[in-house]
Structure formats: C-alpha cells, structure tokens
Amino acid sequence: MNSSRTKRTLNRGAAPDLWRNTLAQIPSVFGKLVYLTSLRNSNSGEYEHHGLANLFGSEEANRAMGDSHAELFAEWLCFDLQQQKEDLETYLSEIEGPRRAVLKTWLQLEPYRNCMPASAREVERTLFLTDLEMLLALLRNEHGVGDLDRDA
C-alpha cells in the first residue's frame, strides 16, 4: 500500500468518507436508505462501491456501507410518523416523475421493501413496513391515486 493511501485510510476510514462525500449530499434519511440499497448486490448481499473499495478495500467499504445502512434504518424507525412523512416527502420531491405515478408504482411494486438492511430484526422490519404502508396510504389519498388495477 502506498503512503498516501495509508494516510487517507488512517485519517478517514471508509465510513467517515462515505458520510462526508456521499451521504451528506442526500437531503433525506429515506433517500440515504434508497441510495445504500442501490449499492447492495441483490445476489450476494454485499455492498459495492468502486471508489470506496479502491480507497479502503472492498471488505472495509462493505462494512462501512452495511453499518451506515443499519444506522440510518434505526434513525428512520425512531422518527414519529410526522417526521417520517416529512422525510419521505423530501425524498419524493427529489426524484423524477409525477408524484401520483411514483406513488402508484410504489403501491404496486413495493420497492421500499428492499430498503431494509439484512441485519434488521423481524420486529424492526414489521415496524418499518407498517409505518411506510400507512404513510403511502395517506399520500395516496392526498395525491388522488385511484384504485390499483393490477391487470391494467
């Protein structure tokens, strides 16, 4: 390992680098969860971030992303429903597409189910899904998303 890489590793570590250079740029906790979920290989369960792995090694990068995912998931669960709704609306305001279409797709495909870290306990998974499905029902009513015709 060259000396500049050693200094970077000793001074920062993968987790602080991930938070400072990437996660801090995402305005919502839910958005951070979605981002980290997008880095998790659905076959292996390992997190893959080329830049972070080059700087710190794939093992440390994977650990930093997994720990961050678990930390953010716990933070989301500690929010009350109003805080979760505000955070979710912040996330939704940052993504492309009409809000009604996004909500309809979420209600049909349930992509939010992938946002849970592998380390989540069953009670945490249940709480996350219950809260999120309640929030989606509220948003569905607020935005006039009609009945979901799964055959259409």
Side-chain angles (χ1 to χ4, degrees):
M1 185 183 297
N2 68 38
S3 63
S4 65
R5 183 173 173 182
T6 303
K7 287 178 187 174
R8 279 195 306 263
T9 302
L10 293 174
N11 291 335
R12 297 189 302 188
D17 188 272
L18 174 67
W19 280 85
R20 181 177 42 254
N21 295 319
T22 305
L23 296 176
Q25 310 307 311
I26 302 171
S28 66
V29 172
F30 196 83
K32 290 174 175 75
L33 286 173
V34 170
Y35 174 74
L36 287 168
T37 299
S38 75
L39 299 176
R40 185 175 54 200
N41 182 306
S42 62
N43 295 311
S44 69
E46 299 289 314
Y47 295 86
E48 299 170 353
H49 187 291
H50 183 72
L52 210 56
N54 276 344
L55 284 173
F56 302 102
S58 58
E59 212 172 290
E60 185 179 345
N62 178 61
R63 184 174 38 260
M65 289 181 281
D67 291 350
S68 296
H69 195 169
E71 182 181 330
L72 288 160
F73 186 71
E75 183 177 347
W76 170 267
L77 292 179
C78 287
F79 287 170
D80 63 33
L81 282 174
Q82 182 61 38
Q83 290 170 308
Q84 287 178 343
K85 185 174 185 280
E86 290 169 5
D87 189 74
L88 185 58
E89 287 176 329
T90 298
Y91 171 73
L92 290 171
S93 71
E94 297 289 321
I95 61 176
E96 291 182 24
R99 177 87 41 103
R100 290 179 66 194
V102 170
L103 290 170
K104 186 172 183 177
T105 300
W106 278 29
L107 290 162
Q108 289 175 326
L109 301 178
E110 301 177 340
Y112 52 85
R113 288 181 170 273
N114 294 324
C115 290
M116 297 177 279
S119 61
R121 297 175 304 184
E122 188 59 36
V123 67
E124 294 170 322
R125 292 172 182 276
T126 300
L127 178 60
F128 177 79
L129 292 173
T130 301
D131 286 354
L132 201 51
E133 288 166 358
M134 189 179 327
L135 292 170
L136 289 173
L138 287 169
L139 292 172
R140 177 183 181 178
N141 289 335
E142 286 179 15
H143 295 281
V145 177
D147 290 334
L148 302 177
D149 183 357
R150 297 190 189 274
D151 296 328

